[in-house]
Amino acid sequence: MKKFIILAVAAVAAFGANAADNDFAPSKGDFSTEVQFNPFNSDYTFSIDALKGRYFFSDKDALTIQFGINAINRKSVPNTENDAYTSHYNGTFRIGLGYERHFFNYKRIDLYGGANVYYAHRFAQSKEMYDDKNGVRYEGYDNIDGVKSGNGFGFNFFTGLDFYIYKGLYCGVEIALNLEDQLVSNYKKVTISGGQETDDKTKQGGHDFSLNTKVQPLLRLGWRF
């Protein structure tokens, strides 16, 4: 056990000495890109949650732009043409702008905090067929998952860290406070009877407001230029 502790301490010391020889802190004019992915999502083995760009206009301050999309698409496959089946999809697209303050750097570790504002568009559709000529379709609403389409805005207040694996290559995590308000859109119900379609527009209205404090279940991998 003592040998193991000695070896572990020696490894950490060697790691720290190697890090001291390099400057991992960001500098004015640097630009970084990163992917945020979720290996813990139960719907997928692997999914990319967002793409993010970051520009340092000083040694400590950065502007960010972020794109993200999350979506599911499912269909029950019928055995024959006359069998009933369901299909549905829903998801959210986000684009946001933000600011980060990198307030502490030590060797390979870079701590930061900040905020961003984003626009979010939620989309949804579903279909239930009783046979090949009769059923119902919802445009703007997934009645299977209960997801409504809509548009809204949100804010994130966060703190996190980057750990530099080598030179510009880093990984990291974030803790965030998220506020989002979605204005629910109207949807259309299409009834299919004998192969003929009849439209029925429905007003949903209202707001979906959410407030969450969470540890982002994401791994972040990026490169600073």
Side-chain angles (χ1 to χ4, degrees):
M1 183 65 179
K2 290 183 179 179
K3 290 182 179 180
F4 175 80
I5 294 174
I6 292 172
L7 288 172
V9 172
V12 172
F15 184 85
N18 181 62
D21 295 334
N22 300 289
D23 182 13
F24 293 96
S27 301
K28 180 179 178 180
D30 285 351
F31 179 77
S32 70
T33 59
E34 70 179 51
V35 292
Q36 301 175 346
F37 55 93
N38 185 357
F40 312 110
N41 193 318
S42 60
D43 292 322
Y44 307 97
T45 302
F46 176 87
S47 64
I48 293 178
D49 189 81
L51 301 174
K52 176 181 173 182
R54 182 163 59 185
Y55 173 73
F56 288 87
F57 60 91
S58 79
D59 292 346
K60 296 290 186 181
D61 304 285
L63 296 175
T64 66
I65 184 169
Q66 187 169 332
F67 303 89
I69 186 167
N70 292 291
I72 64 101
N73 191 336
R74 297 190 180 99
K75 180 178 180 179
S76 63
V77 181
N79 293 325
T80 69
E81 291 185 357
N82 292 322
D83 283 350
Y85 74 90
T86 61
S87 65
H88 65 114
Y89 66 81
N90 63 76
T92 304
F93 167 77
R94 291 183 176 88
I95 180 171
L97 297 173
Y99 164 78
E100 291 179 356
R101 174 70 177 179
H102 291 248
F103 54 85
F104 180 77
N105 307 107
Y106 179 73
K107 296 182 178 179
R108 296 175 184 261
I109 295 176
D110 178 27
L111 300 180
Y112 63 90
N116 67 15
V117 59
Y118 62 87
Y119 163 75
H121 171 66
R122 192 164 58 201
F123 52 89
Q125 185 165 311
S126 59
K127 187 176 185 179
E128 295 180 81
M129 295 301 295
Y130 315 128
D131 53 43
D132 61 337
K133 293 185 178 181
N134 298 279
V136 61
R137 182 176 73 249
Y138 295 89
E139 298 178 3
Y141 177 54
D142 182 349
N143 72 311
I144 297 174
D145 280 350
V147 176
K148 306 170 184 177
S149 61
N151 298 281
F153 291 90
F155 297 89
N156 280 313
F157 302 94
F158 54 83
T159 184
L161 67 85
D162 294 336
F163 178 81
Y164 284 87
I165 303 169
Y166 176 76
K167 301 290 185 179
L169 180 65
Y170 66 90
C171 60
V173 293
E174 283 184 1
I175 298 174
L177 172 67
N178 171 256
L179 299 91
E180 181 174 309
D181 188 22
Q182 278 273 342
L183 178 63
V184 178
S185 302
N186 299 332
Y187 72 90
K188 181 168 69 174
K189 179 181 178 181
V190 180
T191 302
I192 305 166
S193 179
Q196 301 297 315
E197 297 186 355
T198 303
D199 295 351
D200 181 19
K201 293 184 179 180
T202 302
K203 292 184 178 181
Q204 295 189 102
H207 294 261
D208 285 347
F209 179 78
S210 62
L211 170 63
N212 296 294
T213 303
K214 59 186 178 182
V215 177
Q216 299 281 7
L218 302 174
L219 297 179
R220 301 166 48 246
L221 186 64
W223 183 266
R224 195 183 79 229
F225 300 91

